[in-house]
Amino acid sequence: MTTTARMVWDDLVGQQPLIGTLREAAAGHGMTHAWLFTGPPGSGRSNVARAFAAALQCETGTGCGACEACRLVTSGSHPDVTVVRSETTVLYVDDMRDLVQASAKFPAIGRWQIILVEDADRLGTPENPRTGNALLKAIEEPTPKTVWLLCAPTRADVLPTIASRARHVTLATPTAPEVSDFLVRQGIDPTMASFAARASQGHIGRARALCVDEDARRRRREVVSLPSRLTSLGAVMTAATNLAEIAKEETAAITADAERRELEGLQSMFGSERKDTTSRAYRSALSALEKLQKQKARRRVLDVIDRCLMDLVSVYRDAIAVAVEAPGELVNEELRGDVEVVARAASPEQLLRMIDAIFTAREQMLEFNVPPQLALESMTVALRLPQGRA
């Protein structure tokens, strides 16, 4: 059993201390009805939660990976494990009410009724807590066999009333060697794995994409090569436009097939009725689908821009490392020449202010709904390299 016991946890990179805690809980030591998994983007929050769900349902209680329960959970087909994810900016009240009703049921075949919410940070805000409040009672007073697994970037991103009722566990950011070793075990060339591990900054999904997708590598290179070219007002305006276009290009590549499948599914559901121009039901369903697709596209654009901003931050952090002669490899080692240009043009203090400008733009778009083009233009103006430094 020693070999198979690792299978459920095998793909969790850099989370060994946390795995020990979860395995003990699955075995009945320290178990509770609600868990909050937090960690930086790409650290594997939902993957850890899924592995924990498999261990909770496991016939041996260990997460053996070999039993039918483990296989059903890892394949996403266990009837007593419900996974909730949102590609829009919020999770909706009606969806949560349906989920509350489902959570009240006793498990059909498993040991627990498990509800896994991948984006608990989209349950609302203190100013607009309606969606979160729809869940609060169920999390507060769950049925004896119900377990809630909530995922969010930080505890502060979750409504305090919900966070206070869940056991909080924090994921670590995997190190570059840990990510590289994982990729090599997946059959990736060691040189490519090393590059992707550094460039992804611990984001495992991003590292995988960089390994297999040449377009992803091209788009990232376009982003990280921008800072050394921001020497004039024209350059910074062009850079803002380029960032927005990169986000739109990647979003279009992601959404085209998904939107086509969704439309085909809707048309199949209504059959010949969709050809009837007087069919109010079909027109209403089509309108709702189009609205949802627009919301998803907007969220995806923001997600792509957010990742681009983190790539930009890596360049300025590298420049600070070069300026202070810090030891070790740069995140953007293959662009060391460009990084040195930035380090010569701006002092470490100025570089820190530039990083702050990036995070300000991020907050404007994600928290205050500032149009991306405006936020990016304001940011790139702040990133313009000072003149006169050698």
Side-chain angles (χ1 to χ4, degrees):
M1 188 62 70
T2 302
T3 301
T4 56
R6 295 178 54 248
M7 292 180 65
V8 162
W9 314 100
D10 244 2
D11 290 344
L12 305 183
V13 183
Q15 309 301 336
Q16 292 309 312
L18 177 57
I19 289 172
T21 299
L22 298 178
R23 294 185 68 168
E24 287 186 6
H29 308 294
M31 186 58 192
T32 187
H33 71 285
W35 296 73
L36 174 59
F37 297 87
T38 66
S43 57
R45 297 184 299 262
S46 58
N47 290 336
V48 170
R50 279 194 184 87
F52 186 38
L56 289 173
Q57 301 290 23
C58 178
E59 295 165 11
T60 68
T62 63
C64 67
C67 69
E68 182 69 10
C70 283
R71 289 197 295 268
L72 286 173
V73 175
T74 53
S75 68
S77 55
H78 198 293
D80 298 318
V81 178
T82 302
V83 179
V84 182
R85 61 179 63 88
S86 174
E87 294 182 275
T88 60
T89 53
V90 295
L91 290 162
Y92 291 100
V93 175
D94 289 344
D95 295 333
M96 292 304 102
R97 287 172 179 159
D98 292 341
L99 194 62
V100 168
Q101 292 179 358
S103 73
K105 299 176 182 178
F106 276 78
I109 64 171
R111 302 166 67 202
W112 302 92
Q113 180 72 250
I114 298 175
I115 313 296
L116 195 168
V117 182
E118 289 190 349
D119 305 294
D121 52 313
R122 300 181 189 178
L123 288 172
T125 65
E127 296 77 21
N128 184 22
R130 291 183 64 224
T131 307
N133 287 343
L135 286 186
L136 184 57
K137 189 71 172 177
I139 294 176
E140 212 170 23
E141 300 176 6
T143 57
K145 289 293 183 179
T146 297
V147 178
W148 292 85
L149 307 180
L150 311 175
C151 304
T154 71
R155 184 185 177 94
D157 292 317
V158 180
L159 289 170
T161 50
I162 290 178
S164 65
R165 288 161 175 80
R167 180 175 175 181
H168 183 202
V169 289
T170 304
L171 278 65
T173 300
T175 65
E178 288 172 335
V179 176
S180 181
D181 289 346
F182 170 74
L183 294 172
V184 170
R185 293 197 303 271
Q186 301 295 308
I188 302 298
D189 174 77
T191 301
M192 177 63 74
S194 178
F195 156 74
R198 285 186 289 101
S200 67
Q201 302 176 76
H203 193 304
I204 299 164
R206 176 68 167 155
R208 283 190 179 121
L210 289 171
C211 286
V212 302
D213 187 343
E214 185 177 348
D215 285 338
R217 294 194 294 272
R218 172 184 58 79
R219 286 190 290 263
R220 183 186 183 277
R221 187 177 181 89
E222 288 177 13
V223 171
V224 296
S225 64
L226 288 175
S228 64
R229 303 203 301 265
L230 301 180
T231 57
S232 67
L233 184 58
V236 301
M237 292 295 104
T238 299
T241 300
N242 288 346
L243 283 171
E245 290 302 319
I246 288 170
K248 290 177 182 177
E249 176 190 346
E250 185 165 345
T251 300
I254 295 170
T255 59
D257 285 343
E259 290 182 352
R260 177 183 52 78
R261 289 193 300 269
E262 290 169 349
L263 179 59
E264 289 175 352
L266 180 67
Q267 291 172 340
S268 176
M269 182 186 305
F270 279 86
S272 59
E273 185 179 351
R274 67 185 173 84
K275 299 178 182 178
D276 182 358
T277 58
T278 65
S279 173
R280 292 183 179 179
Y282 176 70
R283 292 205 310 272
S284 176
L286 180 60
S287 176
L289 175 62
E290 290 172 346
K291 179 180 178 181
L292 182 60
Q293 287 178 339
K294 288 180 181 178
Q295 291 173 332
K296 287 181 179 180
R298 180 180 180 276
R299 182 67 209 191
R300 285 170 178 161
V301 167
L302 291 176
D303 287 343
V304 174
I305 290 176
D306 191 40
R307 189 176 63 240
C308 290
L309 297 187
M310 293 305 98
D311 287 336
L312 280 179
V313 167
S314 73
V315 177
Y316 293 101
R317 287 175 174 164
D318 278 349
I320 292 173
V322 167
V324 300
E325 299 181 349
E329 204 170 30
L330 303 179
V331 170
N332 301 283
E333 187 63 43
E334 68 283 356
L335 294 178
R336 179 177 281 271
D338 286 355
V339 171
E340 290 174 345
V341 169
V342 176
R344 288 194 299 269
S347 68
E349 293 78 11
Q350 289 171 320
L351 293 169
L352 285 172
R353 286 197 289 272
M354 292 174 183
I355 291 174
D356 186 59
I358 295 173
F359 281 104
T360 297
R362 182 175 186 266
E363 183 180 28
Q364 289 173 339
M365 287 181 285
L366 297 179
E367 303 295 333
F368 300 108
N369 296 318
V370 174
Q373 186 69 34
L374 291 179
L376 292 174
E377 287 177 359
S378 176
M379 177 195 76
T380 53
V381 167
L383 298 182
R384 182 176 176 178
L385 294 177
Q387 302 298 309
R389 280 176 61 93

